[in-house]
Amino acid sequence: MLSPGEELVKRWEREQVCLKERLLEENTEAWQESGSFSGLARVGGVDLSFIKGDDLNACAQLVVLSYPDMQLLYEDSEMVTLTAPYLPGYLAFRECPPLLQVLKRLEGEKPCLMPQVLFVDGNGLFHYREFGLACHLGVLSDLPCVGVAKNLLQVQGVIRSEDHLSQISALKKAGDSFPLAAATGRILGQALKSSDSSSKPVYVSVGHRISLNTAVRLTHSCCRYRVPEPIRQADIRSREYLRRRFPSGPP
DNA sequence: GCGACAG
DNA sequence: ATCTTGTCGC
Protein backbone atom coordinates (compact mmCIF):
# COMPACT_ATOMS: atom_id res chain seq x y z
CA MET A 1 0.00 0.00 0.00
CA LEU A 2 0.98 3.61 -0.52
CA SER A 3 0.93 6.00 2.38
CA PRO A 4 -1.22 9.12 1.99
CA GLY A 5 1.98 11.10 1.69
CA GLU A 6 3.28 9.01 -1.17
CA GLU A 7 -0.03 9.30 -2.97
CA LEU A 8 0.05 13.08 -2.58
CA VAL A 9 3.58 13.30 -3.97
CA LYS A 10 2.57 11.24 -7.01
CA ARG A 11 -0.32 13.58 -7.73
CA TRP A 12 1.87 16.65 -7.27
CA GLU A 13 4.55 15.25 -9.55
CA ARG A 14 1.97 14.62 -12.29
CA GLU A 15 0.71 18.16 -11.85
CA GLN A 16 4.22 19.57 -12.31
CA VAL A 17 4.70 17.57 -15.49
CA CYS A 18 1.36 18.79 -16.80
CA LEU A 19 1.92 22.49 -16.01
CA LYS A 20 5.43 22.33 -17.43
CA GLU A 21 3.95 22.10 -20.93
CA ARG A 22 2.87 25.71 -20.65
CA LEU A 23 6.28 26.99 -19.52
CA LEU A 24 8.07 29.59 -21.65
CA GLU A 25 11.82 29.79 -21.12
CA GLU A 26 12.53 32.76 -23.39
CA ASN A 27 11.88 36.49 -23.49
CA THR A 28 8.35 37.40 -24.49
CA GLU A 29 8.41 41.15 -23.73
CA ALA A 30 9.99 43.98 -25.72
CA TRP A 31 11.67 45.58 -22.67
CA GLN A 32 13.58 42.35 -22.04
CA GLU A 33 15.54 42.83 -25.26
CA SER A 34 16.63 46.35 -24.38
CA GLY A 35 20.10 46.72 -22.94
CA SER A 36 18.84 49.16 -20.31
CA PHE A 37 15.39 47.59 -19.93
CA SER A 38 13.71 50.68 -21.34
CA GLY A 39 9.98 50.18 -21.18
CA LEU A 40 10.26 48.46 -17.79
CA ALA A 41 8.56 50.51 -15.06
CA ARG A 42 7.21 48.08 -12.44
CA VAL A 43 8.92 45.11 -10.79
CA GLY A 44 7.18 42.93 -8.22
CA GLY A 45 8.27 40.74 -5.35
CA VAL A 46 6.41 38.15 -3.30
CA ASP A 47 7.15 36.40 -0.04
CA LEU A 48 5.56 34.51 2.84
CA SER A 49 6.46 35.03 6.51
CA PHE A 50 5.51 32.83 9.45
CA ILE A 51 5.15 33.16 13.20
CA LYS A 52 7.55 31.07 15.25
CA GLY A 53 5.46 28.10 16.33
CA ASP A 54 2.79 28.19 13.63
CA ASP A 55 3.28 26.69 10.20
CA LEU A 56 -0.38 26.98 9.22
CA ASN A 57 -0.92 30.72 9.27
CA ALA A 58 1.29 33.10 7.36
CA CYS A 59 1.48 36.59 5.95
CA ALA A 60 1.46 36.67 2.16
CA GLN A 61 3.13 39.79 0.83
CA LEU A 62 3.23 41.51 -2.54
CA VAL A 63 5.21 44.65 -3.30
CA VAL A 64 5.50 46.54 -6.56
CA LEU A 65 8.50 48.85 -6.99
CA SER A 66 9.28 51.38 -9.68
CA TYR A 67 12.07 50.53 -12.08
CA PRO A 68 14.85 51.54 -12.03
CA ASP A 69 14.37 53.65 -8.88
CA MET A 70 13.04 50.89 -6.62
CA GLN A 71 10.47 53.19 -5.01
CA LEU A 72 7.40 51.59 -3.43
CA LEU A 73 4.33 51.81 -5.67
CA TYR A 74 2.14 49.21 -4.02
CA GLU A 75 2.14 46.99 -0.95
CA ASP A 76 -0.28 44.37 0.30
CA SER A 77 -0.13 42.06 3.32
CA GLU A 78 -2.71 39.35 3.76
CA MET A 79 -3.08 36.68 6.44
CA VAL A 80 -3.53 33.28 4.86
CA THR A 81 -3.98 29.72 6.06
CA LEU A 82 -1.78 27.18 4.35
CA THR A 83 -3.23 23.82 3.48
CA ALA A 84 -0.24 21.91 2.08
CA PRO A 85 2.88 20.83 4.01
CA TYR A 86 6.35 21.81 2.88
CA LEU A 87 8.09 19.02 1.02
CA PRO A 88 11.44 19.71 -0.68
CA GLY A 89 10.75 19.83 -4.40
CA TYR A 90 7.10 20.73 -3.89
CA LEU A 91 7.29 24.18 -2.33
CA ALA A 92 4.91 25.57 -4.94
CA PHE A 93 1.99 23.51 -3.72
CA ARG A 94 2.32 25.18 -0.35
CA GLU A 95 3.05 28.75 -1.42
CA CYS A 96 1.33 29.28 -4.77
CA PRO A 97 -2.30 29.55 -3.63
CA PRO A 98 -1.72 32.48 -1.24
CA LEU A 99 0.63 34.23 -3.66
CA LEU A 100 -1.93 33.98 -6.45
CA GLN A 101 -4.46 35.37 -3.98
CA VAL A 102 -2.49 38.59 -3.35
CA LEU A 103 -1.93 38.96 -7.09
CA LYS A 104 -5.67 38.58 -7.64
CA ARG A 105 -6.35 41.32 -5.12
CA LEU A 106 -4.01 43.67 -6.97
CA GLU A 107 -5.76 42.87 -10.22
CA GLY A 108 -9.09 43.75 -8.63
CA GLU A 109 -7.99 46.96 -6.89
CA LYS A 110 -5.12 48.47 -8.89
CA PRO A 111 -4.72 46.64 -12.18
CA CYS A 112 -2.63 49.51 -13.53
CA LEU A 113 0.05 48.60 -10.97
CA MET A 114 0.39 44.99 -12.08
CA PRO A 115 4.15 44.29 -12.21
CA GLN A 116 5.75 43.54 -15.57
CA VAL A 117 7.98 40.96 -13.95
CA LEU A 118 7.83 39.17 -10.61
CA PHE A 119 10.74 38.12 -8.40
CA VAL A 120 10.03 34.92 -6.53
CA ASP A 121 11.78 33.70 -3.39
CA GLY A 122 12.90 30.23 -4.53
CA ASN A 123 13.98 28.35 -7.63
CA GLY A 124 12.46 28.21 -11.09
CA LEU A 125 13.99 25.79 -13.59
CA PHE A 126 16.76 25.01 -11.11
CA HIS A 127 14.77 22.20 -9.60
CA TYR A 128 14.65 18.39 -9.42
CA ARG A 129 12.11 18.24 -12.25
CA GLU A 130 12.87 21.67 -13.70
CA PHE A 131 9.66 23.18 -12.38
CA GLY A 132 10.17 25.04 -9.11
CA LEU A 133 8.01 27.66 -7.43
CA ALA A 134 8.95 30.48 -9.82
CA CYS A 135 7.87 28.37 -12.83
CA HIS A 136 4.71 27.21 -11.13
CA LEU A 137 3.66 30.70 -10.12
CA GLY A 138 4.67 32.06 -13.52
CA VAL A 139 2.54 29.61 -15.45
CA LEU A 140 -0.48 30.01 -13.18
CA SER A 141 -0.30 33.82 -13.16
CA ASP A 142 1.06 34.12 -16.71
CA LEU A 143 3.48 36.79 -15.46
CA PRO A 144 7.17 36.86 -16.38
CA CYS A 145 8.91 35.43 -13.29
CA VAL A 146 12.49 35.15 -12.03
CA GLY A 147 13.44 32.60 -9.38
CA VAL A 148 16.03 33.71 -6.81
CA ALA A 149 17.16 31.24 -4.14
CA LYS A 150 19.40 32.24 -1.25
CA ASN A 151 20.67 28.71 -0.76
CA LEU A 152 21.92 26.12 -3.22
CA LEU A 153 19.57 23.27 -3.91
CA GLN A 154 21.75 20.31 -4.80
CA VAL A 155 20.04 18.96 -7.84
CA GLN A 156 20.78 17.08 -11.06
CA GLY A 157 24.45 16.70 -10.29
CA VAL A 158 25.02 20.27 -9.13
CA ILE A 159 26.65 19.92 -5.72
CA ARG A 160 28.53 22.08 -3.23
CA SER A 161 31.80 20.56 -4.34
CA GLU A 162 35.24 22.04 -3.90
CA ASP A 163 34.90 23.12 -7.49
CA HIS A 164 31.63 24.91 -6.80
CA LEU A 165 33.16 26.68 -3.79
CA SER A 166 36.18 27.63 -5.84
CA GLN A 167 33.95 29.10 -8.55
CA ILE A 168 32.26 31.15 -5.84
CA SER A 169 35.57 32.52 -4.59
CA ALA A 170 36.42 33.46 -8.16
CA LEU A 171 33.43 35.84 -8.32
CA LYS A 172 35.03 39.23 -8.05
CA LYS A 173 32.42 41.96 -8.23
CA ALA A 174 28.66 42.43 -8.39
CA GLY A 175 27.37 41.03 -11.65
CA ASP A 176 29.94 38.23 -11.89
CA SER A 177 28.33 34.82 -12.26
CA PHE A 178 28.81 31.25 -13.39
CA PRO A 179 26.39 28.72 -14.85
CA LEU A 180 24.82 25.82 -13.01
CA ALA A 181 24.91 22.91 -15.42
CA ALA A 182 22.99 19.70 -14.88
CA ALA A 183 24.65 16.36 -15.48
CA THR A 184 22.99 16.40 -18.89
CA GLY A 185 24.80 19.63 -19.74
CA ARG A 186 21.67 21.71 -19.69
CA ILE A 187 22.13 25.08 -17.94
CA LEU A 188 19.53 25.26 -15.18
CA GLY A 189 20.53 28.51 -13.55
CA GLN A 190 23.29 30.93 -12.70
CA ALA A 191 25.10 31.67 -9.44
CA LEU A 192 25.31 35.46 -9.21
CA LYS A 193 27.37 37.71 -6.97
CA SER A 194 24.62 40.26 -6.49
CA SER A 195 26.46 42.92 -4.47
CA ASP A 196 30.11 43.75 -4.02
CA SER A 197 30.02 43.02 -0.31
CA SER A 198 28.28 39.65 -0.37
CA SER A 199 30.44 36.56 -0.21
CA LYS A 200 27.52 34.25 -0.84
CA PRO A 201 25.93 34.30 -4.30
CA VAL A 202 22.24 34.07 -5.08
CA TYR A 203 20.97 31.38 -7.39
CA VAL A 204 18.99 32.77 -10.31
CA SER A 205 16.85 30.68 -12.63
CA VAL A 206 14.15 31.14 -15.23
CA GLY A 207 10.64 31.21 -13.88
CA HIS A 208 8.52 32.01 -16.91
CA ARG A 209 8.59 34.22 -20.01
CA ILE A 210 12.19 35.39 -19.57
CA SER A 211 15.56 34.02 -20.67
CA LEU A 212 18.26 33.11 -18.18
CA ASN A 213 20.58 35.80 -19.47
CA THR A 214 17.91 38.45 -19.12
CA ALA A 215 16.92 37.14 -15.69
CA VAL A 216 20.49 37.43 -14.44
CA ARG A 217 20.98 40.93 -15.85
CA LEU A 218 17.69 42.08 -14.39
CA THR A 219 18.41 40.56 -11.00
CA HIS A 220 21.75 42.31 -10.87
CA SER A 221 20.11 45.63 -11.76
CA CYS A 222 17.55 45.26 -8.94
CA CYS A 223 20.09 44.55 -6.19
CA ARG A 224 21.09 47.17 -3.63
CA TYR A 225 22.06 44.41 -1.25
CA ARG A 226 22.44 40.67 -1.74
CA VAL A 227 18.75 39.94 -2.12
CA PRO A 228 16.96 41.71 -5.00
CA GLU A 229 15.06 44.70 -3.65
CA PRO A 230 11.54 43.48 -4.54
CA ILE A 231 12.02 40.23 -2.59
CA ARG A 232 13.87 42.00 0.18
CA GLN A 233 11.07 44.54 0.63
CA ALA A 234 8.42 41.83 0.56
CA ASP A 235 10.32 39.95 3.26
CA ILE A 236 10.87 43.00 5.45
CA ARG A 237 7.28 44.19 5.19
CA SER A 238 5.64 40.82 5.78
CA ARG A 239 7.70 40.34 8.91
CA GLU A 240 6.88 43.86 10.04
CA TYR A 241 3.19 43.10 9.52
CA LEU A 242 3.38 40.01 11.72
CA ARG A 243 5.30 41.83 14.46
CA ARG A 244 2.66 44.53 14.57
CA ARG A 245 -0.25 42.13 14.49
CA PHE A 246 1.16 39.42 16.81
CA PRO A 247 3.58 41.30 19.12
CA SER A 248 3.72 38.39 21.58
CA GLY A 249 4.06 35.50 19.17
CA PRO A 250 1.42 32.90 18.35
CA PRO A 251 -1.83 33.21 20.39
C1' DG B 1 22.92 4.48 9.09
C1' DC B 2 24.24 9.10 6.94
C1' DG B 3 23.52 13.22 4.56
C1' DA B 4 20.37 16.43 2.10
C1' DC B 5 16.40 19.07 2.51
C1' DA B 6 14.39 26.15 -2.18
C1' DG B 7 10.88 28.19 1.77
C1' DA C 1 10.14 29.54 7.31
C1' DT C 2 11.60 30.37 12.64
C1' DC C 3 14.51 30.08 17.16
C1' DT C 4 18.16 35.28 18.30
C1' DT C 5 21.63 40.71 19.97
C1' DG C 6 25.25 42.37 19.98
C1' DT C 7 29.48 42.66 18.11
C1' DC C 8 33.67 42.81 15.38
C1' DG C 9 35.36 44.64 11.04
C1' DC C 10 35.68 47.20 6.58
Side-chain angles (χ1 to χ4, degrees):
Chain A
M1 284 298 289
L2 278 59
S3 74
E6 291 169 321
E7 200 57 61
L8 183 67
V9 162
K10 283 175 62 181
R11 271 193 286 120
W12 280 356
E13 191 170 331
R14 284 195 298 267
E15 182 70 5
Q16 288 177 332
V17 169
C18 177
L19 289 174
K20 197 171 173 346
E21 293 177 22
R22 294 153 56 183
L23 184 60
L24 299 176
E25 304 180 23
E26 339 77 45
N27 292 338
T28 62
E29 311 303 302
W31 61 261
Q32 294 168 336
E33 303 296 344
S34 155
S36 57
F37 298 122
S38 72
L40 178 62
R42 298 174 311 282
V43 297
V46 287
D47 191 34
L48 253 50
S49 286
F50 295 80
I51 313 177
K52 45 186 176 182
D54 184 352
D55 55 350
L56 291 182
N57 300 296
C59 173
Q61 185 79 30
L62 169 63
V63 300
V64 181
L65 307 183
S66 63
Y67 186 89
D69 292 345
M70 301 289 121
Q71 295 303 300
L72 187 70
L73 300 176
Y74 176 87
E75 166 186 24
D76 185 27
S77 315
E78 191 169 340
M79 288 306 298
V80 294
T81 298
L82 300 187
T83 54
Y86 168 65
L87 298 180
Y90 302 93
L91 176 64
F93 293 91
R94 177 166 171 80
E95 298 205 345
C96 260
L99 296 180
L100 287 167
Q101 189 176 319
V102 290
L103 284 169
K104 199 70 187 173
R105 193 146 103 174
L106 170 60
E107 176 147 69
E109 315 226 341
K110 296 275 184 187
C112 61
L113 291 182
M114 187 61 63
Q116 293 162 285
V117 61
L118 194 58
F119 282 91
V120 180
D121 204 345
N123 294 301
L125 272 189
F126 189 56
H127 177 265
Y128 302 110
R129 289 163 300 281
E130 300 178 14
F131 201 74
L133 172 62
C135 298
H136 203 121
L137 187 62
V139 165
L140 292 185
S141 68
D142 202 31
L143 283 174
C145 283
V146 176
V148 180
K150 297 182 290 296
N151 294 100
L152 178 69
L153 181 63
Q154 299 192 115
V155 65
Q156 296 196 35
V158 180
I159 56 175
R160 273 187 301 271
S161 55
E162 304 246 339
D163 181 66
H164 181 81
L165 297 179
S166 125
Q167 293 191 87
I168 290 178
S169 1
L171 300 175
K172 176 73 177 170
K173 60 180 191 309
D176 290 351
S177 69
F178 63 87
L180 305 165
T184 64
R186 180 155 136 88
I187 306 301
L188 298 182
Q190 196 88 5
L192 169 72
K193 185 180 180 76
S194 49
S195 74
D196 285 323
S197 56
S198 59
S199 56
K200 225 178 136 178
V202 294
Y203 297 93
V204 179
S205 58
V206 168
H208 186 48
R209 294 176 56 170
I210 192 168
S211 72
L212 179 57
N213 261 331
T214 305
V216 171
R217 272 200 309 130
L218 180 65
T219 301
H220 176 213
S221 78
C222 289
C223 283
R224 283 185 185 167
Y225 305 101
R226 185 171 85 106
V227 174
E229 206 55 22
I231 292 178
R232 183 171 167 270
Q233 286 302 319
D235 178 73
I236 290 172
R237 290 165 189 276
S238 56
R239 283 200 234 192
E240 169 68 31
Y241 179 89
L242 290 178
R243 281 206 317 270
R244 190 181 46 192
R245 183 156 165 174
F246 306 103
S248 55

